[in-house]
Amino acid sequence: MSTTRIPFDAIQFHAEITNPRDELKDIPDLIASLKSVGLQVPLTVKQDPKNDNVFYLVVGFRRHEAIRRIRESDPNAFKTVEVKKFKGSFAEAQVLNITENIQRSELTPMEICKSVEILMNLGYKQKDVAEKIGKSQTWVSNAMQFRRQATPQLQEAVRTGDIPYGFARDLATLPDSEQRDKVKGLKKPSAIPRDEVEGRPRQNKVVDPEVRKTVRESSGRVIRPSTAEVRHEVMRIGQDNKGSSDEFERGILIALEWTLGERKTLRRPDR
């Protein structure tokens, strides 16, 4: 795509080009960067087929918002901006917007689910969507099922990070009333660790035992202990036994067995 400069005010939004992100993050930092070094990456726009003076934003929603805020206080700033002109259809522009965001790893699991829904509504098959977003066809199928079955409360809990998508996907198979009850019980800050379903590292925090029990009963999943939990319990055993090397070694073995799922509890039989 060739680049050119156009008036910033000529850029508008189009209903057929939806930004899948729920919110535009880190705008203040981006504003500071734009004021310091200017616009380093051009916006991508599509020219109105009926009006050469109107352009629709395709890629660069955060940059556009940051510039808009700058111009509120300084109308002389960024009167014109560098852009790339996209020649494809509006549907192709939507696909470009989504793939650009996903390639930058900027989308949350809920935003990817939303992207899947947008692409499916454009007529793409699950296999095609999977290829475009870099997920398996099964992942795409599960995402669509989640969007259909999950209550607004459950989807909001995933969006805010209170409940990991992997667990929420299982909860979505429950009746709506049960979903709402489970959301109330599970929405505890940092109570549930992120797991491999989301492709994120496990949070290094101790999980509330009641939350662990609730997740197991509601979804059938077993939350494995985090490194912090294992370390905490090993140190506790060592301190309880005043540093006895034999007891400390035994505590490590118990913790490792628990980590591997070979024990149901960290407590020793004699405690």
Side-chain angles (χ1 to χ4, degrees), residues 37 48 64 99 108 111 118-119 123 158 187 192 205 210 224 255:
V37 300
D48 189 311
H64 182 276
T99 54
T108 66
E111 290 168 343
I118 292 172
L119 293 176
V158 175
K187 283 185 65 175
I192 307 174
K205 298 181 180 180
E210 289 303 313
R224 297 301 180 202

Side-chain angles (χ1 to χ4, degrees), residues 145-212:
Q145 184 178 28
F146 178 77
R147 290 284 286 183
R148 289 193 301 267
Q149 294 180 334
T151 61
Q153 294 87 346
L154 181 56
Q155 294 195 40
E156 176 64 14
V158 175
R159 189 190 70 78
T160 57
D162 288 323
I163 298 178
Y165 171 65
F167 293 124
R169 198 180 65 202
D170 292 326
L171 296 180
T173 62
L174 300 174
D176 289 0
S177 59
E178 291 187 37
Q179 286 188 43
R180 288 189 287 268
D181 290 341
K182 297 300 182 183
V183 168
K184 292 179 182 178
L186 292 175
K187 283 185 65 175
K188 297 182 179 181
S190 302
I192 307 174
R194 301 296 185 265
D195 62 11
E196 69 281 356
V197 176
E198 293 180 80
R200 298 178 180 179
R202 186 184 300 279
Q203 287 184 340
N204 208 23
K205 298 181 180 180
V206 176
V207 178
D208 185 330
E210 289 303 313
V211 173
R212 187 188 295 279

Side-chain angles (χ1 to χ4, degrees), residues 59-239:
V59 177
F61 282 73
R62 285 181 64 249
R63 281 164 279 156
H64 182 276
E65 174 62 16
I67 293 173
R68 186 193 67 78
R69 294 188 191 182
I70 292 173
R71 285 179 51 75
E72 281 185 342
S73 57
D74 183 4
N76 291 319
F78 294 97
K79 283 187 174 182
T80 63
V81 291
E82 190 173 12
V83 300
K84 294 179 180 179
K85 289 186 178 181
F86 180 72
K87 302 294 186 179
S89 67
F90 283 107
E92 291 169 333
Q94 178 67 86
V95 173
L96 176 63
N97 173 282
I98 289 174
T99 54
E100 285 275 338
N101 278 297
I102 290 177
Q103 287 171 3
R104 294 193 184 110
S105 301
E106 294 181 343
L107 299 185
T108 66
M110 273 306 303
E111 290 168 343
I112 296 178
C113 286
K114 180 180 177 181
S115 300
V116 168
E117 187 174 50
I118 292 172
L119 293 176
M120 293 289 289
N121 289 339
L122 288 174
Y124 287 94
K125 303 297 183 183
Q126 287 187 6
K127 180 181 179 181
D128 300 325
V129 173
E131 291 177 354
K132 291 183 179 299
I133 68 174
K135 298 287 185 181
S136 68
Q137 188 171 341
T138 299
W139 197 101
V140 170
S141 177
N142 289 336
M144 288 299 294
Q145 184 178 28
F146 178 77
R147 290 284 286 183
R148 289 193 301 267
Q149 294 180 334
T151 61
Q153 294 87 346
L154 181 56
Q155 294 195 40
E156 176 64 14
V158 175
R159 189 190 70 78
T160 57
D162 288 323
I163 298 178
Y165 171 65
F167 293 124
R169 198 180 65 202
D170 292 326
L171 296 180
T173 62
L174 300 174
D176 289 0
S177 59
E178 291 187 37
Q179 286 188 43
R180 288 189 287 268
D181 290 341
K182 297 300 182 183
V183 168
K184 292 179 182 178
L186 292 175
K187 283 185 65 175
K188 297 182 179 181
S190 302
I192 307 174
R194 301 296 185 265
D195 62 11
E196 69 281 356
V197 176
E198 293 180 80
R200 298 178 180 179
R202 186 184 300 279
Q203 287 184 340
N204 208 23
K205 298 181 180 180
V206 176
V207 178
D208 185 330
E210 289 303 313
V211 173
R212 187 188 295 279
K213 178 182 177 182
T214 301
V215 171
R216 184 175 63 250
E217 292 176 348
S218 62
S219 68
R221 289 180 181 270
V222 177
I223 306 178
R224 297 301 180 202
S226 67
T227 303
E229 289 179 288
V230 174
R231 185 184 298 114
H232 172 80
E233 189 63 17
V234 168
M235 293 303 295
R236 184 194 64 74
I237 293 173
Q239 292 170 356

